[in-house]
Amino acid sequence: MTLKTSQQYINDIRKMKIDLYMFGEKVENYVDHPMVRPSVNAMAMTYKMAMEAEYEDIMIATSNLTGQKVNRFTHLHQSTEDLVKKVKMQRLLGQKTGCCFQRCVGMDAFNAVFNTTFEIDVKHGTHYHQRFIEFMKYVQDNDLAVDGCMTDSRGDRSKRPKEQTDPDAYVHIVDRSEAGIVVRGCKMHQTGMLNSHEILVMPNNSLKEDEKEWAVSFAVALETPGIIFVYGRQSCDTRKMESGSIDVGNQYFGGQEIMTIFNDVFVPWERVFMDGETDFTTMLVERFASYHRQSYGGCKVGVGDALIGATQAMAEYNGISRASHVKDKIVEMCHLNETLYSCGIACSAEGYKTAAGNYLVDILLANICKQNVTRFPYEIARLAQDVAGGAFVTMPSEKDFVHADVGPIIRKYFVGKSDIPVENRQRMLRLIENLTMGTAAVGYLTESMHGAGSPQAQRIMISRLINLEHRKNLAEKLSGVKENKDLDWQ
């Protein structure tokens, strides 16, 4: 069994030499940078939990490729039970970190590329699937974190890739040789990129026959020459660089989004999994999106659990936990959160085996799951802010609370229930701020809206998959508009 400890994982990425820019400066030791380290800690939890016997059933799986025990984040789903355990694992890690733990996008990319390459080979006689199997064995044997890359910069959204003024608006092939391909372009909003060992790139959207150069999927290591990383800003992010531990909200964990630039990057053929097969771009995009929309029924629920807990704590700290309207609001938060979880479990339980052998979620229900995720976390956050009160956005800084002159006065007026330390209120208010409008809101709210496709993307899929004619036929039979042949006993 090849499983890394959290420390082994951190040692891995500490050794990597990459071109990273943040706040206009090149960063060398990013692992220990206060802006980055919380996200490293969150990713490290995916390794730590896999080493704990209590969570082995959901964190560990048996590889269908090697027969060895592997971290579930590197697993190819072999049953609906695997799909369900994936969602349970994601909820657990959301609870433990209170943020995006960044490893889901790679797991979802693995499964989509695995079954899509199989079908490409069947139709076109290519050899992508075996290449990808060898890549997956490498990933599993070394327990690697891999960032799935899909979203391009896209330029003018009214134009297709080939119509763009700058062809680099979408990642594309600029050269081929006997050794491999050279790619150029940029992938945006890449979650946990700096905390990964490898990058797995997929096309952004469905492509036409004359857009072969953009129909490309490949894998490269982060240290590959020509890749440039630019760290994305988040609300309240520089609090991580301040002294103290209260104002940051989440004391230990955080997320990370990166702009990833491919500046004429060479990819050897053994790492190329799609090269011009435009007829399979729709399949790859839809399958990846479906897996990732399923994921949100787990990870966002786990973070929601943390936010609900913070809201309950604030109600108790403020002495209002017994008020009927407060109880009702917290019940509503739980109802919305469990509804999201139910959707994640449902699309998993209704999954099915693909031609390649791994399991795919029910695509319609996965889109229903994500459509709910674009709404419910916002309402949960609104209710949390309602119960918390205005202090979570007006409270003085941690430094003011400890100031020799004004600190005692501030603490005097920030007492809630007399038996609750003022610092407890400070910490819980900052956590709610962090989750609903600070750095964690990137992963909990904005990512809920735009990650794995914006709301309209799910509505398009829902309209495509819902069989309205079947439903109309049911109504016509029940009403007598059509003959009901089911009544064969009459």
Side-chain angles (χ1 to χ4, degrees):
M1 179 169 65
T2 304
L3 291 172
K4 278 187 168 69
T5 65
S6 53
Q7 190 57 57
Q8 287 173 326
Y9 155 72
I10 293 172
N11 292 342
D12 275 358
I13 59 172
R14 193 187 300 281
K15 296 173 186 175
M16 294 195 299
K17 303 298 180 183
I18 64 173
D19 288 329
L20 168 64
Y21 293 84
M22 182 193 303
F23 298 150
E25 298 179 353
K26 190 170 183 179
V27 179
E28 299 297 337
N29 176 19
Y30 67 92
V31 172
D32 297 310
H33 195 289
M35 288 284 290
V36 182
R37 188 53 188 255
S39 65
V40 174
N41 291 341
M43 180 79 89
M45 283 294 287
T46 69
Y47 288 89
K48 180 181 186 295
M49 302 295 286
M51 302 298 289
E52 298 185 0
E54 180 181 357
Y55 305 113
E56 181 176 353
D57 184 52
I58 62 172
M59 292 297 305
I60 302 297
T62 301
S63 169
N64 63 302
L65 304 179
T66 67
Q68 300 298 308
K69 297 291 185 181
V70 297
N71 191 304
R72 190 171 295 280
F73 279 104
T74 70
H75 185 50
L76 298 167
H77 312 304
Q78 297 300 297
S79 63
T80 55
E81 182 182 12
D82 274 347
L83 292 170
V84 168
K85 286 182 178 180
K86 169 197 171 185
V87 174
K88 291 183 176 181
M89 172 182 71
Q90 291 167 318
R91 184 173 190 172
L92 172 67
L93 281 158
Q95 294 170 341
K96 295 288 186 179
T97 64
C99 68
C100 174
F101 39 91
Q102 309 148 58
R103 210 172 173 187
C104 306
V105 66
M107 168 178 53
D108 295 335
F110 293 153
N111 281 276
V113 175
F114 180 80
N115 54 50
T116 301
T117 53
F118 179 88
E119 299 200 30
I120 295 175
D121 287 356
V122 169
K123 181 175 179 179
H124 293 291
T126 47
H127 304 286
Y128 300 128
H129 191 62
Q130 189 55 46
R131 290 179 188 173
F132 190 70
I133 287 174
E134 294 306 314
F135 171 69
M136 283 305 305
K137 288 179 181 178
Y138 169 69
V139 168
Q140 291 180 349
D141 288 345
N142 294 278
D143 200 3
L144 301 182
V146 179
D147 188 37
C149 262
M150 179 164 280
T151 307
D152 290 299
S153 58
R154 295 184 292 170
D156 184 342
R157 270 60 165 179
S158 70
K159 296 180 179 180
R160 299 191 58 78
K162 189 176 182 180
E163 299 168 342
Q164 297 291 329
T165 302
D166 185 349
D168 298 346
Y170 290 77
V171 170
H172 63 119
I173 299 171
V174 296
D175 191 26
R176 292 180 179 82
S177 68
E178 291 185 0
I181 62 174
V182 176
V183 297
R184 186 187 303 157
C186 175
K187 292 291 188 180
M188 306 291 286
H189 325 305
Q190 297 308 304
T191 302
M193 175 62 76
L194 302 185
N195 300 335
S196 302
H197 300 89
E198 295 267 346
I199 307 168
L200 177 54
V201 173
M202 298 163 286
N204 184 94
N205 54 324
S206 300
L207 297 168
K208 295 182 178 180
E209 178 67 22
D210 61 353
E211 294 175 319
K212 290 183 180 294
E213 305 309 308
W214 290 271
V216 60
S217 177
F218 60 89
V220 289
L222 263 72
E223 295 181 284
T224 303
I227 305 180
I228 300 170
F229 305 97
V230 185
Y231 203 89
R233 294 242 32 195
Q234 297 177 336
S235 175
C236 308
D237 55 4
T238 52
R239 291 188 188 184
K240 298 173 184 176
M241 302 176 72
E242 299 174 3
S243 60
S245 63
I246 294 177
D247 285 351
V248 73
N250 188 328
Q251 188 172 347
Y252 309 103
F253 304 106
Q256 175 197 108
E257 309 294 333
I258 305 295
M259 182 178 182
T260 304
I261 301 165
F262 296 88
N263 192 16
D264 291 354
V265 174
F266 171 74
V267 184
W269 284 117
E270 61 267 23
R271 287 295 195 93
V272 176
F273 313 124
M274 174 184 280
D275 175 19
E277 289 78 20
T278 56
D279 50 335
F280 281 90
T281 53
T282 299
M283 176 184 288
L284 181 52
V285 171
E286 288 185 354
R287 289 187 176 183
F288 167 74
S290 297
Y291 282 122
H292 208 43
R293 289 165 188 172
Q294 169 215 21
S295 289
Y296 283 24
C299 63
K300 304 310 176 198
V301 177
V303 178
D305 287 330
L307 181 54
I308 292 167
T311 307
Q312 176 65 30
M314 276 311 306
E316 294 176 8
Y317 296 175
N318 288 339
I320 59 172
S321 61
R322 295 183 180 180
S324 60
H325 72 95
V326 171
K327 290 180 179 179
D328 188 60
K329 287 167 184 173
I330 293 176
V331 166
E332 177 65 6
M333 295 170 76
C334 293
H335 158 242
L336 294 171
N337 208 45
E338 297 303 329
T339 299
L340 296 179
Y341 183 59
S342 299
C343 289
I345 294 296
C347 69
S348 304
E350 293 291 314
Y352 61 92
K353 190 175 185 178
T354 68
N358 68 333
Y359 272 65
L360 179 62
V361 294
D362 182 289
I363 294 177
L364 172 60
L365 294 182
N367 279 273
I368 297 294
C369 178
K370 177 55 171 55
Q371 183 74 184
N372 286 335
V373 170
T374 67
R375 302 174 183 177
F376 294 177
Y378 285 87
E379 179 62 7
I380 294 170
R382 186 189 72 81
L383 291 168
Q385 293 182 352
D386 181 357
V387 175
F392 83 98
V393 290
T394 66
M395 183 170 60
S397 75
E398 178 179 354
K399 291 182 180 180
D400 290 320
F401 275 87
V402 297
H403 190 276
D405 296 328
V406 75
I409 301 173
I410 296 173
R411 291 194 297 274
K412 167 184 170 67
Y413 290 110
F414 258 86
V415 173
K417 286 190 66 177
S418 59
D419 59 339
I420 301 296
V422 169
E423 183 177 314
N424 289 18
R425 293 189 75 228
Q426 286 179 264
R427 290 188 179 278
M428 207 57 66
L429 285 167
R430 289 302 186 204
L431 179 59
I432 291 173
E433 179 192 37
N434 172 260
L435 287 166
T436 64
M437 59 188 300
T439 57
V442 174
Y444 183 57
L445 297 181
T446 311
E447 187 178 277
S448 291
M449 179 68 73
H450 291 289
S454 59
Q456 191 58 27
Q458 289 101 61
R459 299 188 80 82
I460 291 170
M461 286 299 296
I462 292 168
S463 66
R464 189 182 300 168
L465 295 169
I466 285 287
N467 189 339
L468 291 177
E469 191 61 33
H470 168 66
R471 287 160 172 76
K472 186 181 77 170
N473 187 52
L474 294 175
E476 288 176 335
K477 286 183 177 180
L478 290 172
S479 66
V481 170
K482 285 185 177 179
E483 180 184 1
N484 193 337
K485 295 182 180 179
D486 293 334
L487 303 176
D488 54 3
W489 61 86
Q490 290 191 348

